[in-house]
Structure formats: C-alpha cells, structure tokens
mmCIF file of all heavy atoms in Angstrom:
data_model
loop_
_atom_site.group_PDB
_atom_site.id
_atom_site.type_symbol
_atom_site.label_atom_id
_atom_site.label_comp_id
_atom_site.label_asym_id
_atom_site.label_seq_id
_atom_site.Cartn_x
_atom_site.Cartn_y
_atom_site.Cartn_z
ATOM 1 N N ALA A 1221 7.917 21.412 -4.722
ATOM 2 C CA ALA A 1221 8.322 20.580 -3.611
ATOM 3 C C ALA A 1221 7.200 20.520 -2.534
ATOM 4 O O ALA A 1221 6.957 19.429 -1.985
ATOM 5 C CB ALA A 1221 9.616 21.134 -2.982
ATOM 6 N N GLN A 1222 6.576 21.647 -2.320
ATOM 7 C CA GLN A 1222 5.470 21.693 -1.323
ATOM 8 C C GLN A 1222 4.293 20.827 -1.795
ATOM 9 O O GLN A 1222 3.674 20.086 -1.018
ATOM 10 C CB GLN A 1222 4.990 23.180 -1.120
ATOM 11 C CG GLN A 1222 4.101 23.351 0.066
ATOM 12 C CD GLN A 1222 4.857 23.140 1.407
ATOM 13 O OE1 GLN A 1222 6.054 23.466 1.468
ATOM 14 N NE2 GLN A 1222 4.176 22.657 2.422
ATOM 15 N N ASP A 1223 3.977 20.954 -3.123
ATOM 16 C CA ASP A 1223 2.843 20.178 -3.676
ATOM 17 C C ASP A 1223 3.156 18.685 -3.570
ATOM 18 O O ASP A 1223 2.301 17.868 -3.235
ATOM 19 C CB ASP A 1223 2.588 20.560 -5.112
ATOM 20 C CG ASP A 1223 1.924 21.945 -5.223
ATOM 21 O OD1 ASP A 1223 1.472 22.455 -4.174
ATOM 22 O OD2 ASP A 1223 1.859 22.489 -6.341
ATOM 23 N N LEU A 1224 4.420 18.318 -3.939
ATOM 24 C CA LEU A 1224 4.768 16.921 -3.895
ATOM 25 C C LEU A 1224 4.638 16.361 -2.448
ATOM 26 O O LEU A 1224 4.120 15.298 -2.231
ATOM 27 C CB LEU A 1224 6.195 16.714 -4.368
ATOM 28 C CG LEU A 1224 6.436 16.897 -5.863
ATOM 29 C CD1 LEU A 1224 7.948 16.845 -6.225
ATOM 30 C CD2 LEU A 1224 5.663 15.779 -6.699
ATOM 31 N N HIS A 1225 5.128 17.200 -1.487
ATOM 32 C CA HIS A 1225 5.175 16.760 -0.086
ATOM 33 C C HIS A 1225 3.755 16.728 0.511
ATOM 34 O O HIS A 1225 3.332 15.739 1.097
ATOM 35 C CB HIS A 1225 6.043 17.624 0.715
ATOM 36 C CG HIS A 1225 6.152 17.238 2.124
ATOM 37 N ND1 HIS A 1225 5.303 17.705 3.129
ATOM 38 C CD2 HIS A 1225 7.040 16.393 2.770
ATOM 39 C CE1 HIS A 1225 5.612 17.107 4.290
ATOM 40 N NE2 HIS A 1225 6.669 16.357 4.067
ATOM 41 N N ASP A 1226 2.996 17.837 0.277
ATOM 42 C CA ASP A 1226 1.727 17.952 0.964
ATOM 43 C C ASP A 1226 0.609 17.185 0.306
ATOM 44 O O ASP A 1226 -0.264 16.566 0.941
ATOM 45 C CB ASP A 1226 1.307 19.438 1.075
ATOM 46 C CG ASP A 1226 2.221 20.212 1.975
ATOM 47 O OD1 ASP A 1226 2.966 19.574 2.722
ATOM 48 O OD2 ASP A 1226 2.226 21.442 1.888
ATOM 49 N N SER A 1227 0.582 17.208 -1.112
ATOM 50 C CA SER A 1227 -0.518 16.578 -1.801
ATOM 51 C C SER A 1227 -0.268 15.120 -2.082
ATOM 52 O O SER A 1227 -0.921 14.196 -1.569
ATOM 53 C CB SER A 1227 -0.793 17.377 -3.091
ATOM 54 O OG SER A 1227 -1.909 16.851 -3.782
ATOM 55 N N LEU A 1228 0.763 14.901 -2.993
ATOM 56 C CA LEU A 1228 0.994 13.504 -3.401
ATOM 57 C C LEU A 1228 1.525 12.685 -2.209
ATOM 58 O O LEU A 1228 1.202 11.516 -2.088
ATOM 59 C CB LEU A 1228 2.074 13.532 -4.509
ATOM 60 C CG LEU A 1228 1.609 13.987 -5.882
ATOM 61 C CD1 LEU A 1228 2.797 13.988 -6.857
ATOM 62 C CD2 LEU A 1228 0.415 13.150 -6.396
ATOM 63 N N GLY A 1229 2.336 13.344 -1.295
ATOM 64 C CA GLY A 1229 2.848 12.589 -0.142
ATOM 65 C C GLY A 1229 1.714 12.089 0.703
ATOM 66 O O GLY A 1229 1.671 10.914 1.155
ATOM 67 N N HIS A 1230 0.705 12.980 1.023
ATOM 68 C CA HIS A 1230 -0.403 12.595 1.843
ATOM 69 C C HIS A 1230 -1.271 11.545 1.189
ATOM 70 O O HIS A 1230 -1.788 10.587 1.827
ATOM 71 C CB HIS A 1230 -1.236 13.790 2.212
ATOM 72 C CG HIS A 1230 -0.506 14.752 3.135
ATOM 73 N ND1 HIS A 1230 -0.869 16.050 3.333
ATOM 74 C CD2 HIS A 1230 0.650 14.611 3.855
ATOM 75 C CE1 HIS A 1230 -0.045 16.643 4.184
ATOM 76 N NE2 HIS A 1230 0.924 15.751 4.544
ATOM 77 N N LYS A 1231 -1.457 11.707 -0.091
ATOM 78 C CA LYS A 1231 -2.317 10.766 -0.866
ATOM 79 C C LYS A 1231 -1.644 9.372 -0.866
ATOM 80 O O LYS A 1231 -2.308 8.342 -0.729
ATOM 81 C CB LYS A 1231 -2.533 11.240 -2.286
ATOM 82 C CG LYS A 1231 -3.531 12.430 -2.359
ATOM 83 C CD LYS A 1231 -3.711 12.903 -3.794
ATOM 84 C CE LYS A 1231 -4.680 14.090 -3.827
ATOM 85 N NZ LYS A 1231 -4.901 14.588 -5.201
ATOM 86 N N LEU A 1232 -0.313 9.369 -1.102
ATOM 87 C CA LEU A 1232 0.369 8.032 -1.045
ATOM 88 C C LEU A 1232 0.264 7.405 0.346
ATOM 89 O O LEU A 1232 0.150 6.194 0.437
ATOM 90 C CB LEU A 1232 1.851 8.246 -1.447
ATOM 91 C CG LEU A 1232 2.190 8.261 -2.890
ATOM 92 C CD1 LEU A 1232 3.653 8.596 -3.127
ATOM 93 C CD2 LEU A 1232 1.879 6.947 -3.549
ATOM 94 N N THR A 1233 0.345 8.255 1.341
ATOM 95 C CA THR A 1233 0.241 7.733 2.753
ATOM 96 C C THR A 1233 -1.207 7.084 2.927
ATOM 97 O O THR A 1233 -1.339 6.019 3.491
ATOM 98 C CB THR A 1233 0.434 8.824 3.748
ATOM 99 O OG1 THR A 1233 1.752 9.391 3.544
ATOM 100 C CG2 THR A 1233 0.326 8.313 5.165
ATOM 101 N N ALA A 1234 -2.222 7.811 2.405
ATOM 102 C CA ALA A 1234 -3.612 7.338 2.504
ATOM 103 C C ALA A 1234 -3.729 5.967 1.713
ATOM 104 O O ALA A 1234 -4.371 5.035 2.200
ATOM 105 C CB ALA A 1234 -4.571 8.337 1.974
ATOM 106 N N VAL A 1235 -3.141 5.963 0.530
ATOM 107 C CA VAL A 1235 -3.195 4.733 -0.301
ATOM 108 C C VAL A 1235 -2.544 3.589 0.477
ATOM 109 O O VAL A 1235 -3.056 2.433 0.501
ATOM 110 C CB VAL A 1235 -2.514 4.968 -1.675
ATOM 111 C CG1 VAL A 1235 -2.322 3.626 -2.388
ATOM 112 C CG2 VAL A 1235 -3.315 5.891 -2.499
ATOM 113 N N LYS A 1236 -1.393 3.857 1.087
ATOM 114 C CA LYS A 1236 -0.667 2.829 1.841
ATOM 115 C C LYS A 1236 -1.515 2.295 2.989
ATOM 116 O O LYS A 1236 -1.586 1.079 3.197
ATOM 117 C CB LYS A 1236 0.683 3.445 2.428
ATOM 118 C CG LYS A 1236 1.452 2.594 3.313
ATOM 119 C CD LYS A 1236 2.107 1.424 2.596
ATOM 120 C CE LYS A 1236 2.984 0.646 3.559
ATOM 121 N NZ LYS A 1236 3.566 -0.565 2.952
ATOM 122 N N ILE A 1237 -2.164 3.186 3.719
ATOM 123 C CA ILE A 1237 -3.047 2.759 4.885
ATOM 124 C C ILE A 1237 -4.146 1.880 4.359
ATOM 125 O O ILE A 1237 -4.492 0.799 4.936
ATOM 126 C CB ILE A 1237 -3.574 3.993 5.645
ATOM 127 C CG1 ILE A 1237 -2.408 4.707 6.311
ATOM 128 C CG2 ILE A 1237 -4.636 3.568 6.650
ATOM 129 C CD1 ILE A 1237 -2.767 6.080 6.859
ATOM 130 N N ASN A 1238 -4.848 2.373 3.297
ATOM 131 C CA ASN A 1238 -5.976 1.621 2.756
ATOM 132 C C ASN A 1238 -5.505 0.272 2.199
ATOM 133 O O ASN A 1238 -6.166 -0.750 2.382
ATOM 134 C CB ASN A 1238 -6.689 2.428 1.663
ATOM 135 C CG ASN A 1238 -7.403 3.634 2.231
ATOM 136 O OD1 ASN A 1238 -7.791 3.628 3.401
ATOM 137 N ND2 ASN A 1238 -7.606 4.662 1.428
ATOM 138 N N PHE A 1239 -4.377 0.310 1.577
ATOM 139 C CA PHE A 1239 -3.836 -0.940 0.985
ATOM 140 C C PHE A 1239 -3.553 -1.985 2.085
ATOM 141 O O PHE A 1239 -3.784 -3.153 1.861
ATOM 142 C CB PHE A 1239 -2.544 -0.651 0.192
ATOM 143 C CG PHE A 1239 -1.947 -1.866 -0.453
ATOM 144 C CD1 PHE A 1239 -2.504 -2.432 -1.588
ATOM 145 C CD2 PHE A 1239 -0.838 -2.489 0.118
ATOM 146 C CE1 PHE A 1239 -1.949 -3.577 -2.129
ATOM 147 C CE2 PHE A 1239 -0.273 -3.604 -0.422
ATOM 148 C CZ PHE A 1239 -0.813 -4.158 -1.577
ATOM 149 N N GLU A 1240 -2.985 -1.464 3.156
ATOM 150 C CA GLU A 1240 -2.651 -2.412 4.298
ATOM 151 C C GLU A 1240 -3.895 -3.031 4.902
ATOM 152 O O GLU A 1240 -3.912 -4.236 5.247
ATOM 153 C CB GLU A 1240 -1.906 -1.696 5.420
ATOM 154 C CG GLU A 1240 -0.467 -1.232 5.042
ATOM 155 C CD GLU A 1240 0.427 -2.470 4.751
ATOM 156 O OE1 GLU A 1240 0.205 -3.525 5.330
ATOM 157 O OE2 GLU A 1240 1.323 -2.318 3.915
ATOM 158 N N LYS A 1241 -5.018 -2.266 4.895
ATOM 159 C CA LYS A 1241 -6.273 -2.842 5.346
ATOM 160 C C LYS A 1241 -6.761 -3.935 4.382
ATOM 161 O O LYS A 1241 -7.189 -5.019 4.810
ATOM 162 C CB LYS A 1241 -7.356 -1.751 5.490
ATOM 163 C CG LYS A 1241 -7.092 -0.772 6.635
ATOM 164 C CD LYS A 1241 -8.162 0.315 6.674
ATOM 165 C CE LYS A 1241 -7.938 1.286 7.816
ATOM 166 N NZ LYS A 1241 -8.984 2.371 7.828
ATOM 167 N N ILE A 1242 -6.708 -3.567 3.076
ATOM 168 C CA ILE A 1242 -7.184 -4.566 2.075
ATOM 169 C C ILE A 1242 -6.299 -5.839 2.126
ATOM 170 O O ILE A 1242 -6.739 -6.965 2.012
ATOM 171 C CB ILE A 1242 -7.121 -3.954 0.693
ATOM 172 C CG1 ILE A 1242 -8.131 -2.817 0.586
ATOM 173 C CG2 ILE A 1242 -7.424 -4.958 -0.432
ATOM 174 C CD1 ILE A 1242 -8.001 -1.972 -0.697
ATOM 175 N N LYS A 1243 -4.967 -5.550 2.326
ATOM 176 C CA LYS A 1243 -4.017 -6.661 2.365
ATOM 177 C C LYS A 1243 -4.304 -7.618 3.495
ATOM 178 O O LYS A 1243 -4.364 -8.855 3.357
ATOM 179 C CB LYS A 1243 -2.572 -6.071 2.504
ATOM 180 C CG LYS A 1243 -1.521 -7.150 2.766
ATOM 181 C CD LYS A 1243 -0.167 -6.426 3.049
ATOM 182 C CE LYS A 1243 0.887 -7.427 3.456
ATOM 183 N NZ LYS A 1243 2.145 -6.804 3.828
ATOM 184 N N GLY A 1244 -4.643 -7.050 4.687
ATOM 185 C CA GLY A 1244 -4.913 -7.941 5.839
ATOM 186 C C GLY A 1244 -6.123 -8.774 5.622
ATOM 187 O O GLY A 1244 -6.144 -10.026 5.932
ATOM 188 N N ASN A 1245 -7.209 -8.171 5.097
ATOM 189 C CA ASN A 1245 -8.392 -8.955 4.862
ATOM 190 C C ASN A 1245 -8.242 -9.984 3.768
ATOM 191 O O ASN A 1245 -8.785 -11.112 3.822
ATOM 192 C CB ASN A 1245 -9.630 -7.990 4.504
ATOM 193 C CG ASN A 1245 -9.920 -7.091 5.689
ATOM 194 O OD1 ASN A 1245 -9.737 -7.476 6.841
ATOM 195 N ND2 ASN A 1245 -10.380 -5.874 5.381
ATOM 196 N N THR A 1246 -7.552 -9.588 2.726
ATOM 197 C CA THR A 1246 -7.444 -10.493 1.517
ATOM 198 C C THR A 1246 -6.528 -11.666 1.810
ATOM 199 O O THR A 1246 -6.801 -12.820 1.398
ATOM 200 C CB THR A 1246 -6.909 -9.678 0.316
ATOM 201 O OG1 THR A 1246 -7.700 -8.561 0.137
ATOM 202 C CG2 THR A 1246 -6.891 -10.554 -0.946
ATOM 203 N N VAL A 1247 -5.397 -11.375 2.480
ATOM 204 C CA VAL A 1247 -4.419 -12.499 2.710
ATOM 205 C C VAL A 1247 -5.030 -13.633 3.566
ATOM 206 O O VAL A 1247 -4.698 -14.757 3.413
ATOM 207 C CB VAL A 1247 -3.134 -11.924 3.353
ATOM 208 C CG1 VAL A 1247 -2.247 -13.043 3.841
ATOM 209 C CG2 VAL A 1247 -2.432 -11.039 2.336
ATOM 210 N N GLU A 1248 -5.968 -13.188 4.502
ATOM 211 C CA GLU A 1248 -6.553 -14.240 5.357
ATOM 212 C C GLU A 1248 -7.408 -15.187 4.494
ATOM 213 O O GLU A 1248 -7.437 -16.408 4.720
ATOM 214 C CB GLU A 1248 -7.498 -13.555 6.390
ATOM 215 C CG GLU A 1248 -6.639 -12.845 7.458
ATOM 216 C CD GLU A 1248 -7.568 -12.214 8.488
ATOM 217 O OE1 GLU A 1248 -8.793 -12.444 8.395
ATOM 218 O OE2 GLU A 1248 -7.050 -11.535 9.415
ATOM 219 N N ASN A 1249 -8.116 -14.638 3.506
ATOM 220 C CA ASN A 1249 -8.984 -15.465 2.640
ATOM 221 C C ASN A 1249 -8.253 -16.057 1.432
ATOM 222 O O ASN A 1249 -8.650 -17.087 0.883
ATOM 223 C CB ASN A 1249 -10.179 -14.645 2.166
ATOM 224 C CG ASN A 1249 -11.043 -14.134 3.334
ATOM 225 O OD1 ASN A 1249 -11.216 -14.847 4.300
ATOM 226 N ND2 ASN A 1249 -11.464 -12.862 3.252
ATOM 227 N N MET A 1250 -7.206 -15.336 0.947
ATOM 228 C CA MET A 1250 -6.492 -15.800 -0.228
ATOM 229 C C MET A 1250 -5.010 -15.798 0.083
ATOM 230 O O MET A 1250 -4.267 -14.851 -0.308
ATOM 231 C CB MET A 1250 -6.813 -14.897 -1.400
ATOM 232 C CG MET A 1250 -8.305 -14.808 -1.764
ATOM 233 S SD MET A 1250 -8.647 -13.565 -3.035
ATOM 234 C CE MET A 1250 -7.821 -14.309 -4.418
ATOM 235 N N PRO A 1251 -4.467 -16.759 0.742
ATOM 236 C CA PRO A 1251 -3.046 -16.808 1.126
ATOM 237 C C PRO A 1251 -2.115 -16.766 -0.072
ATOM 238 O O PRO A 1251 -0.984 -16.276 0.018
ATOM 239 C CB PRO A 1251 -2.908 -18.167 1.834
ATOM 240 C CG PRO A 1251 -4.273 -18.502 2.301
ATOM 241 C CD PRO A 1251 -5.206 -17.944 1.323
ATOM 242 N N GLU A 1252 -2.584 -17.264 -1.277
ATOM 243 C CA GLU A 1252 -1.726 -17.290 -2.435
ATOM 244 C C GLU A 1252 -1.399 -15.884 -2.918
ATOM 245 O O GLU A 1252 -0.482 -15.651 -3.723
ATOM 246 C CB GLU A 1252 -2.357 -18.106 -3.556
ATOM 247 C CG GLU A 1252 -3.636 -17.496 -4.175
ATOM 248 C CD GLU A 1252 -4.895 -17.843 -3.358
ATOM 249 O OE1 GLU A 1252 -4.743 -18.429 -2.257
ATOM 250 O OE2 GLU A 1252 -5.993 -17.511 -3.814
ATOM 251 N N MET A 1253 -2.166 -14.861 -2.494
ATOM 252 C CA MET A 1253 -1.941 -13.478 -2.905
ATOM 253 C C MET A 1253 -0.929 -12.751 -2.047
ATOM 254 O O MET A 1253 -0.644 -11.566 -2.241
ATOM 255 C CB MET A 1253 -3.241 -12.699 -2.900
ATOM 256 C CG MET A 1253 -4.313 -13.279 -3.829
ATOM 257 S SD MET A 1253 -3.814 -13.054 -5.572
ATOM 258 C CE MET A 1253 -3.948 -11.309 -5.757
ATOM 259 N N LYS A 1254 -0.407 -13.384 -1.014
ATOM 260 C CA LYS A 1254 0.447 -12.733 -0.038
ATOM 261 C C LYS A 1254 1.714 -12.134 -0.693
ATOM 262 O O LYS A 1254 2.066 -10.991 -0.449
ATOM 263 C CB LYS A 1254 0.890 -13.725 0.988
ATOM 264 C CG LYS A 1254 1.783 -13.099 2.091
ATOM 265 C CD LYS A 1254 2.138 -14.152 3.186
ATOM 266 C CE LYS A 1254 3.065 -13.505 4.201
ATOM 267 N NZ LYS A 1254 3.422 -14.485 5.267
ATOM 268 N N THR A 1255 2.372 -12.894 -1.577
ATOM 269 C CA THR A 1255 3.573 -12.389 -2.242
ATOM 270 C C THR A 1255 3.297 -11.172 -3.071
ATOM 271 O O THR A 1255 4.053 -10.198 -3.037
ATOM 272 C CB THR A 1255 4.146 -13.540 -3.141
ATOM 273 O OG1 THR A 1255 4.450 -14.666 -2.367
ATOM 274 C CG2 THR A 1255 5.461 -13.044 -3.800
ATOM 275 N N ILE A 1256 2.249 -11.200 -3.815
ATOM 276 C CA ILE A 1256 1.902 -10.028 -4.689
ATOM 277 C C ILE A 1256 1.608 -8.836 -3.845
ATOM 278 O O ILE A 1256 2.104 -7.691 -4.142
ATOM 279 C CB ILE A 1256 0.644 -10.354 -5.542
ATOM 280 C CG1 ILE A 1256 0.989 -11.493 -6.545
ATOM 281 C CG2 ILE A 1256 0.166 -9.141 -6.323
ATOM 282 C CD1 ILE A 1256 -0.182 -11.981 -7.364
ATOM 283 N N PHE A 1257 0.896 -9.019 -2.715
ATOM 284 C CA PHE A 1257 0.595 -7.876 -1.846
ATOM 285 C C PHE A 1257 1.891 -7.284 -1.237
ATOM 286 O O PHE A 1257 2.030 -6.070 -1.108
ATOM 287 C CB PHE A 1257 -0.407 -8.268 -0.751
ATOM 288 C CG PHE A 1257 -1.822 -8.173 -1.178
ATOM 289 C CD1 PHE A 1257 -2.576 -9.274 -1.642
ATOM 290 C CD2 PHE A 1257 -2.433 -6.917 -1.132
ATOM 291 C CE1 PHE A 1257 -3.847 -9.121 -2.062
ATOM 292 C CE2 PHE A 1257 -3.752 -6.773 -1.513
ATOM 293 C CZ PHE A 1257 -4.516 -7.917 -1.987
ATOM 294 N N GLU A 1258 2.810 -8.141 -0.808
ATOM 295 C CA GLU A 1258 4.050 -7.703 -0.227
ATOM 296 C C GLU A 1258 4.859 -6.924 -1.256
ATOM 297 O O GLU A 1258 5.484 -5.901 -0.907
ATOM 298 C CB GLU A 1258 4.834 -8.845 0.322
ATOM 299 C CG GLU A 1258 4.223 -9.418 1.622
ATOM 300 C CD GLU A 1258 5.028 -10.666 2.129
ATOM 301 O OE1 GLU A 1258 5.895 -11.131 1.394
ATOM 302 O OE2 GLU A 1258 4.750 -11.119 3.246
ATOM 303 N N GLN A 1259 4.942 -7.434 -2.467
ATOM 304 C CA GLN A 1259 5.672 -6.679 -3.563
ATOM 305 C C GLN A 1259 5.097 -5.339 -3.809
ATOM 306 O O GLN A 1259 5.802 -4.390 -3.901
ATOM 307 C CB GLN A 1259 5.726 -7.516 -4.837
ATOM 308 C CG GLN A 1259 6.559 -8.797 -4.740
ATOM 309 C CD GLN A 1259 6.440 -9.630 -6.001
ATOM 310 O OE1 GLN A 1259 5.549 -9.399 -6.828
ATOM 311 N NE2 GLN A 1259 7.301 -10.630 -6.144
ATOM 312 N N THR A 1260 3.730 -5.292 -3.873
ATOM 313 C CA THR A 1260 3.048 -4.016 -4.073
ATOM 314 C C THR A 1260 3.297 -3.043 -2.921
ATOM 315 O O THR A 1260 3.541 -1.830 -3.142
ATOM 316 C CB THR A 1260 1.536 -4.249 -4.273
ATOM 317 O OG1 THR A 1260 1.386 -5.266 -5.331
ATOM 318 C CG2 THR A 1260 0.876 -2.976 -4.662
ATOM 319 N N SER A 1261 3.282 -3.556 -1.712
ATOM 320 C CA SER A 1261 3.541 -2.745 -0.524
ATOM 321 C C SER A 1261 4.934 -2.149 -0.614
ATOM 322 O O SER A 1261 5.169 -0.967 -0.279
ATOM 323 C CB SER A 1261 3.323 -3.582 0.728
ATOM 324 O OG SER A 1261 3.609 -2.800 1.861
ATOM 325 N N ASN A 1262 5.942 -3.009 -1.027
ATOM 326 C CA ASN A 1262 7.338 -2.506 -1.145
ATOM 327 C C ASN A 1262 7.431 -1.397 -2.207
ATOM 328 O O ASN A 1262 8.180 -0.413 -2.051
ATOM 329 C CB ASN A 1262 8.271 -3.645 -1.495
ATOM 330 C CG ASN A 1262 8.452 -4.608 -0.360
ATOM 331 O OD1 ASN A 1262 8.254 -4.237 0.825
ATOM 332 N ND2 ASN A 1262 8.775 -5.831 -0.637
ATOM 333 N N ILE A 1263 6.689 -1.574 -3.291
ATOM 334 C CA ILE A 1263 6.707 -0.575 -4.374
ATOM 335 C C ILE A 1263 6.097 0.752 -3.873
ATOM 336 O O ILE A 1263 6.673 1.828 -4.170
ATOM 337 C CB ILE A 1263 5.888 -1.059 -5.605
ATOM 338 C CG1 ILE A 1263 6.612 -2.252 -6.291
ATOM 339 C CG2 ILE A 1263 5.663 0.076 -6.585
ATOM 340 C CD1 ILE A 1263 5.815 -2.951 -7.371
ATOM 341 N N LEU A 1264 5.078 0.723 -3.081
ATOM 342 C CA LEU A 1264 4.497 1.919 -2.490
ATOM 343 C C LEU A 1264 5.466 2.592 -1.549
ATOM 344 O O LEU A 1264 5.629 3.831 -1.589
ATOM 345 C CB LEU A 1264 3.217 1.583 -1.725
ATOM 346 C CG LEU A 1264 1.929 1.337 -2.517
ATOM 347 C CD1 LEU A 1264 0.824 0.832 -1.681
ATOM 348 C CD2 LEU A 1264 1.503 2.633 -3.244
ATOM 349 N N ASP A 1265 6.216 1.794 -0.751
ATOM 350 C CA ASP A 1265 7.243 2.360 0.111
ATOM 351 C C ASP A 1265 8.367 3.067 -0.672
ATOM 352 O O ASP A 1265 8.796 4.201 -0.325
ATOM 353 C CB ASP A 1265 7.878 1.280 1.033
ATOM 354 C CG ASP A 1265 6.875 0.773 2.086
ATOM 355 O OD1 ASP A 1265 5.933 1.551 2.391
ATOM 356 O OD2 ASP A 1265 7.035 -0.354 2.555
ATOM 357 N N GLU A 1266 8.865 2.405 -1.749
ATOM 358 C CA GLU A 1266 9.910 2.965 -2.554
ATOM 359 C C GLU A 1266 9.432 4.236 -3.242
ATOM 360 O O GLU A 1266 10.212 5.227 -3.356
ATOM 361 C CB GLU A 1266 10.427 1.963 -3.581
ATOM 362 C CG GLU A 1266 11.187 0.775 -3.056
ATOM 363 C CD GLU A 1266 12.474 1.225 -2.314
ATOM 364 O OE1 GLU A 1266 13.066 2.152 -2.837
ATOM 365 O OE2 GLU A 1266 12.787 0.650 -1.254
ATOM 366 N N THR A 1267 8.213 4.194 -3.732
ATOM 367 C CA THR A 1267 7.657 5.377 -4.390
ATOM 368 C C THR A 1267 7.570 6.566 -3.422
ATOM 369 O O THR A 1267 7.902 7.702 -3.796
ATOM 370 C CB THR A 1267 6.254 5.103 -4.943
ATOM 371 O OG1 THR A 1267 6.321 3.976 -5.832
ATOM 372 C CG2 THR A 1267 5.695 6.294 -5.729
#
C-alpha cells in the first residue's frame, strides 16, 4: 500500500502534470487532437 501510494501515486501525478503541459501546447496547434487528449486525461484520473 505504501509503495503504491508513494511510488506509483507520485509517478502518476508527475505523468499527469507533464501530460497537461503537452496537452496545452498540442491542442493549440492541433485542435483535432483535443478529444483524444481529454479521453487520455480522464483515463489517467481514473487510474
């Protein structure tokens, strides 16, 4: 439980932060990718 919370939990948080940065830059240049990025963001939240 500690490993899941401290290790994987922090890594997923880092992935989420990095993904949001990529999402912001990419959606401005490629609007058609907005739906895919939102779905992926939701999957990260559920995970």
